[in-house]
Every structure is written in C-alpha cells, then in structure tokens.
Amino acid sequence: MYYKIIITFLFWGLASLPAYSSELDKAFKKLISNCNQKDFVINLDKSQEVFDRDFVKFTPGNLNLLRFKETAKKKNMLWNYLRIFFPFHIPKSDITKSNYMDCYLEFSKFRTDFSEENNSKWQVCLRAFYRDSLPEFEKKIFKCADQIVKTKTKQ
C-alpha cells in the first residue's frame, strides 16, 4: 500500500517537471556540428546562455527527479548536459557531483588549449562513469573534440 502511494507521488513529481526548451537541444546539436576551435567555443557559450535560461526553472528537487527518468539505455539529455558541461549546478546532495566536477576541470583545461593530452584526460574521466555503454551525445561530443585536436595538430 505504501509502495503505491510512493509511486503515485513519484510519477506526479516527474510529470510536474518543467520542460526544457527544444532550443537547448538545438544549441547542443549546433555545438557538435561545427567542430573547429572558434565555432566550438562560440557555440558552447551560446549553449550555456540557453541552458542558464532554462535551468532557472528547476528546483533542486526537480533536478534530483531527473535521474529517476533515466535508464541504462535512455538518458535524460538535460541531465547529460548538466553533468558534462555544468556540474557545478548539480545538487550538493548528489554523491556524483565531485566526480563530474573533476571531469569538468579536465574539460576546462581542454577548452583552454585544445591539446590532445587534455582531451584524452577529459574523455578518460567521463568514460569511467559509463564503462562500455557510452551514450550517443557523449560519443558525438568526443568525436567533435577529437576532430578539433586533429585539426589543431595539422596547422
């Protein structure tokens, strides 16, 4: 009986999550469509603007509920964006926050110099969380980062 009550409240809570805009998805798709240093930085900054605008709609409770919507095969894109690019917004109660912050620090170093070493460190850090089941978005962003590094080393 208590189980049914808890499930009912859980589904009610998930249903009441504020929707984030498709504009955010578009911003991140644009991020991985132009894989050169200049465009990547510009598009990441624009993505952050859209993310920040959408993010203010979420309470810490809403953010915690996002993880319940995830399964091994179906990732919640807002949560993906959050943990990869903006982990400082992850609720303090989330035990993975510091791990993603470590990866974000590696990403920040990569974003500064686009070196092969920093790209590798960032990717290794994030891959450790997923083992062999890397989500599609991460595959695409890693492919883009690899392309930026290759282009830079050819110049």
Side-chain angles (χ1 to χ4, degrees):
M1 167 110 170
Y2 292 114
Y3 176 74
K4 288 181 181 180
I5 293 171
I6 291 171
I7 293 297
T8 301
F9 280 114
L10 180 62
F11 282 120
W12 177 75
L14 290 175
S16 66
L17 283 176
Y20 66 97
S21 69
S22 62
E23 194 178 340
L24 185 58
D25 282 333
K26 288 176 188 171
F28 279 106
K29 283 178 184 169
K30 188 172 183 181
L31 174 68
I32 56 180
S33 69
N34 291 330
C35 298
N36 64 62
Q37 279 180 264
K38 183 181 174 187
D39 288 339
F40 186 83
V41 171
I42 290 168
N43 291 333
L44 185 60
D45 289 341
K46 287 180 182 177
S47 298
Q48 184 162 2
E49 287 174 22
V50 175
F51 182 88
D52 289 343
R53 188 182 62 233
D54 281 357
F55 188 78
V56 296
K57 301 172 191 171
F58 285 82
T59 66
N62 291 142
L63 288 172
N64 282 326
L65 289 174
L66 281 176
R67 288 174 296 161
F68 286 112
K69 292 179 82 173
E70 282 200 336
T71 65
K73 293 184 181 183
K74 182 177 182 281
K75 298 294 179 192
N76 181 295
M77 287 312 293
L78 182 66
W79 190 251
N80 264 11
Y81 302 148
L82 182 67
R83 64 182 158 209
I84 296 171
F85 298 115
F86 316 110
F88 39 88
H89 288 306
I90 293 175
K92 292 177 184 174
S93 60
D94 189 307
I95 60 173
T96 63
K97 180 177 181 165
S98 64
N99 296 336
Y100 285 109
M101 281 302 296
D102 289 344
C103 293
Y104 178 74
L105 293 174
E106 296 298 342
F107 175 71
S108 293
K109 291 176 191 174
F110 167 69
R111 183 181 171 184
T112 303
D113 69 1
F114 293 99
S115 73
E116 190 171 337
E117 179 184 0
N118 287 331
N119 179 36
S120 177
K121 286 180 180 179
W122 171 54
Q123 288 189 28
V124 166
C125 186
L126 278 176
R127 286 178 196 273
F129 293 112
Y130 297 109
R131 296 190 183 102
D132 293 327
S133 61
L134 198 63
E136 280 304 309
F137 181 73
E138 281 82 344
K139 287 178 187 176
K140 290 175 184 176
I141 196 72
F142 289 167
K143 183 178 178 182
C144 187
D146 291 343
Q147 187 176 336
I148 292 170
V149 169
K150 262 189 211 174
T151 305
K152 185 179 180 207
T153 56
K154 286 182 182 178
Q155 293 176 351

